[in-house]
Amino acid sequence: MTVEEFEEFYAHAVARLTGQLYVMLGDLHEAQDVVQEAFVKGWDRRRQLDRDGRPEAWIRTVAWRLAVSRWRFRRRSTEAWRRGAPPPTVEGPGPDHLVLVEALRGLPPQQRRTLALHYLCDLSVDQVAAETGLSTGTVKTHLSRGRAALAHRLEDPRGAHPHTGEPRGGRPHSGERPDARPRTDRSSSEEAPGE
């Protein structure tokens, strides 16, 4: 079968074969897919199709086998999914996690890497230095500066101290009496109302 003959065969038979497979399968899209795939396989065997003298039967048989093969694959996949345990439920990150990740993003990359290796991967300062190629002094500097930057970034916007949870300004400064009255900045010439 020449290229022109195959193209003519395709033009005359594709709709009829698709209709036949649609009736057999009950799914138009599946019928269209398998018929197209069968014609692609038939293209490579044009001379063989001509020798058999029944090219339409060959395409129909190949299309049917493709459909059965697909059906078996889907059935095996479905059975495998049913046999397997359901995937574990993984909870999304909590708000604290998101805040920490955002704070870490604001650090310089080397500081972030050093903090992650030390605190998340549980590497010692020497191990972090070996892995990053930095000196132990530089690693210690990155850790110190990174902790300070994170403490600043993770401050409670409501004003609570990040470690104690107490409101900022709620504790007296050193040297101040807890019962001391707040100082006023009034000049001595001003008098308070009612004095």
Side-chain angles (χ1 to χ4, degrees):
M1 192 179 285
T2 65
V3 171
E4 291 79 14
E5 288 171 335
F6 187 87
E7 288 174 350
E8 187 177 339
F9 163 58
Y10 175 84
H12 288 289
V14 67
R16 181 170 52 252
L17 286 166
T18 301
Q20 292 168 356
L21 268 293
Y22 173 46
V23 171
M24 293 179 201
L25 303 173
D27 184 332
L28 179 60
H29 296 293
E30 184 76 5
Q32 290 169 331
D33 284 350
V34 294
V35 168
Q36 289 301 320
E37 195 171 337
F39 269 106
V40 169
K41 289 180 181 296
W43 174 261
D44 294 332
R45 294 182 170 88
R46 290 188 310 275
R47 289 188 175 84
Q48 192 178 349
L49 286 176
D50 196 25
R51 265 186 266 126
D52 292 344
R54 299 179 57 214
E56 198 167 316
W58 188 91
I59 296 289
R60 185 172 44 251
T61 302
V62 170
W64 172 255
R65 288 180 181 158
L66 287 167
V68 169
S69 177
R70 287 178 176 195
W71 176 76
R72 286 180 180 154
F73 174 77
R74 281 194 294 265
R75 189 179 69 183
R76 281 193 303 268
S77 298
T78 303
E79 287 172 0
W81 278 107
R82 284 186 190 145
R83 280 195 308 268
T89 303
V90 179
E91 292 185 26
D96 291 343
H97 181 85
L98 294 174
V99 169
L100 177 61
V101 169
E102 191 59 35
L104 283 166
R105 280 189 188 138
L107 298 180
Q110 195 61 267
Q111 247 179 34
R112 188 170 56 238
R113 181 179 181 207
T114 303
L115 286 167
L117 289 171
H118 186 65
Y119 291 107
L120 298 178
C121 301
D122 205 25
L123 299 183
S124 69
V125 170
D126 292 335
Q127 291 170 321
V128 173
E131 187 163 325
T132 60
L134 301 172
S135 69
T136 56
T138 304
V139 169
K140 289 176 183 177
T141 301
H142 281 313
L143 290 173
S144 174
R145 290 180 181 167
R147 281 191 301 263
L150 283 178
H152 177 71
R153 291 172 182 276
L154 294 175
E155 285 182 353
D156 191 332
R158 296 169 295 183
H161 190 277
H163 301 294
T164 65
E166 294 183 21
R168 292 190 185 277
R171 295 168 69 182
H173 296 291
S174 60
E176 249 184 53
R177 292 189 346 244
D179 60 341
R181 294 174 68 186
R183 294 179 56 191
T184 60
D185 288 69
R186 291 188 304 220
S187 65
S188 57
S189 63
E190 292 179 336
E191 291 184 1
E195 288 184 2

